[in-house]
Amino acid sequence: MFEQAVPLAPLTTLGIGGPAKFFVRAESVDDVREALAFANERQLPVLILAGGSNVLIPDKGFDGLVIHIDLRGITIESEDAESAIVNVAAGERWDDFVDFAVLSGWAGVECLSGIPGSAGATPIQNVGAYGQDVSETIVRVEVLERDTGRVIDLTNWDCNFAYRSSIFKHAAKDRYVVISATFRLRPGGAATVRYPELRAYLEERGIPLDDLPGVRAAVIAIRKRKGMVLDPSDPDTRSDGSFFMNPIVPPERAPEGAPRFPSGDGVKLSAAWLIEHAGFHKGFAHGNVGISTKHTLAIVNRGGGTAAEVLELVRRIQQGVRERFGVELQPEPVFVRS
Ligand SMILES: Cc1cc2nc3c(=O)[nH]c(=O)nc-3n(C[C@H](O)[C@H](O)[C@H](O)COP(=O)(O)OP(=O)(O)OC[C@H]3O[C@@H](n4cnc5c(N)ncnc54)[C@H](O)[C@@H]3O)c2cc1C
């Protein structure tokens, strides 16, 4: 069950990172408990890994136990005219669930089509795209508390969701393993389209908002143009998706000419615009890593790239944006420590 010296790079979308000292696939809650006990007895650090699409694994690898989340199952808990309550096991592919929801005629996650990774990771950074995020539809998150082995339900409120953020990234970092997430979707509902680019695409093609499969196809088509749908034949998708969050700053600190969107008391800036205007263009190369030729926000492995190179490029970009605009860029992926 417990393997040793397992290469992790192939389990990530960036294709970067050294081996795991120990590795195990968890297909049930008991498997997770057993794996945690194994690590506890040997005082090993633990890394929870799922689709590997939002992590940067060090070149040295992980000197502990990697628990790969493989819990499966989608269960419809209830369905009536108002809502469909659907429980999704953590190891289900997120996009398979979105496809299932859209084909069932349930609105609520259609704009999150084409996002790689697992369903269980979506609450971690409150996955979002095109103006929609999972905090709008998650009703509860079932978690295993790592210290006690207890399984508990967290409500949406407990998760403290915010832009690309939740309790799992901050106050309760490393405290829980997500076992499943439960969503409330709207049968027969119309798509929530808040992004002008997506709206224009739908209008040009005459796709109505209640055509959920049509909206899903539109989202995937737009994402493909930006290299944001995994495709082995497209090297621009060997990435972690958007590498930096869009910074939120007080309105008076927004650089002149920068596009801005109201966000609470501040304004949200486009990280892609800041990076581009700080001199880092699409296709920018730094050794074997670089910036996607399709999207300034994506750092890509151009072949044989290392985590050290990614970190160097991240620092160069952060410094460039800081010097040019006085704005601090925060990375979105989780930097694993060896
Ligand atoms: C091409 C591309 C496009 C992307 N587009 C988007 C996008 O539009 N919007 C967006 O929000 N993100 C996007 N991402 C980022 C990524 O797909 C999401 O963050 C996704 O939810 C990560 O899922 P994962 O299963 O791959 O998580 P992993 O990368 O395996 O893990 C990410 C973090 O979550 C933790 N984790 C994972 N599963 C669990 C669990 N069950 N319990 C506890 N902790 C867990 C891990 O320990 C790690 O800290 C994109 C990535 C790529 C490569």
Side-chain angles (χ1 to χ4, degrees):
M1 187 185 177
F2 292 90
E3 299 170 64
Q4 289 189 44
V6 173
L8 294 176
L11 300 176
T12 68
T13 51
L14 255 177
I16 283 178
K21 183 169 188 181
F22 292 99
F23 180 91
V24 67
R25 290 184 186 275
E27 294 176 4
S28 66
V29 175
D30 281 344
D31 286 354
V32 177
R33 282 203 187 98
E34 208 177 305
L36 290 170
F38 176 95
N40 209 14
E41 279 157 26
R42 290 161 185 78
Q43 303 215 321
L44 295 169
V46 168
L47 169 64
I48 307 295
L49 186 68
S53 61
N54 211 26
V55 282
L56 179 66
I57 310 249
D59 298 315
K60 280 198 293 189
F62 187 70
D63 194 24
L65 172 66
V66 172
I67 306 178
H68 196 273
I69 298 298
D70 286 318
L71 291 90
R72 295 293 159 131
I74 297 182
T75 313
I76 303 167
E77 292 187 351
S78 68
E79 187 185 3
D80 57 29
E82 295 294 304
S83 64
I85 309 288
V86 192
N87 177 268
V88 191
E92 286 291 334
R93 278 188 61 221
W94 169 252
D95 197 46
D96 288 351
F97 166 59
V98 175
D99 192 40
F100 174 69
V102 160
L103 290 176
S104 304
W106 302 330
V109 287
E110 58 288 335
C111 294
L112 306 178
S113 293
I115 298 180
S118 64
T122 60
I124 308 290
Q125 72 156 359
N126 184 18
V127 157
Y130 299 101
Q132 195 170 61
D133 64 45
V134 292
S135 76
E136 294 168 47
T137 42
I138 284 183
V139 280
R140 58 174 203 277
V141 179
E142 187 189 15
V143 295
L144 184 144
E145 196 172 40
R146 281 167 57 165
D147 281 354
T148 62
R150 276 189 321 153
V151 170
I152 49 179
D153 276 342
L154 302 178
T155 63
N156 180 299
W157 188 85
D158 292 332
C159 294
N160 201 13
F161 289 122
Y163 166 63
R164 292 302 166 277
S165 167
S166 72
I167 189 175
F168 306 107
K169 278 201 96 169
H170 301 288
K173 193 170 182 302
D174 295 335
R175 183 153 146 208
Y176 301 119
V177 178
V178 174
I179 299 299
S180 73
T182 302
F183 296 82
R184 175 183 282 121
L185 303 171
R186 300 185 310 278
T192 313
V193 174
R194 303 190 177 109
Y195 248 57
E197 186 186 8
L198 177 58
R199 184 170 292 280
Y201 188 100
L202 296 172
E203 279 171 8
E204 274 163 30
R205 288 160 183 81
I207 301 168
L209 292 187
D210 58 1
D211 173 6
L212 297 178
V215 174
R216 170 173 162 78
V219 169
I220 291 177
I222 295 174
R223 292 182 65 95
K224 273 194 175 150
R225 298 200 292 221
K226 300 177 182 171
M228 285 291 171
V229 178
L230 289 186
D231 175 354
S233 69
D234 180 354
D236 277 327
T237 71
R238 213 184 296 139
S239 79
D240 265 346
S242 300
F243 210 96
F244 297 98
M245 294 191 252
N246 290 323
I248 298 168
V249 299
E252 64 278 9
R253 295 236 350 256
E256 221 175 293
R260 65 202 69 192
F261 312 92
S263 179
D265 292 340
V267 289
K268 194 190 273 182
L269 305 175
S270 156
W273 187 95
L274 295 168
I275 294 170
E276 228 160 74
H277 286 77
F280 300 92
H281 51 84
K282 291 183 185 123
F284 183 93
H286 177 86
N288 289 326
V289 303
I291 293 178
S292 157
T293 63
K294 300 188 185 72
H295 195 351
T296 331
L297 259 193
I299 289 184
V300 295
N301 176 3
R302 301 167 63 237
T306 63
E309 287 176 307
V310 171
L311 291 174
E312 282 161 20
L313 178 57
V314 167
R315 279 187 214 112
R316 275 181 80 176
I317 293 173
Q318 284 176 319
Q319 190 181 342
V321 169
R322 190 184 305 122
E323 281 171 4
R324 177 82 178 79
F325 298 113
V327 174
E328 210 51 52
L329 285 185
Q330 297 298 338
E332 195 180 292
V334 175
F335 292 178
V336 174
R337 292 186 182 184
S338 58

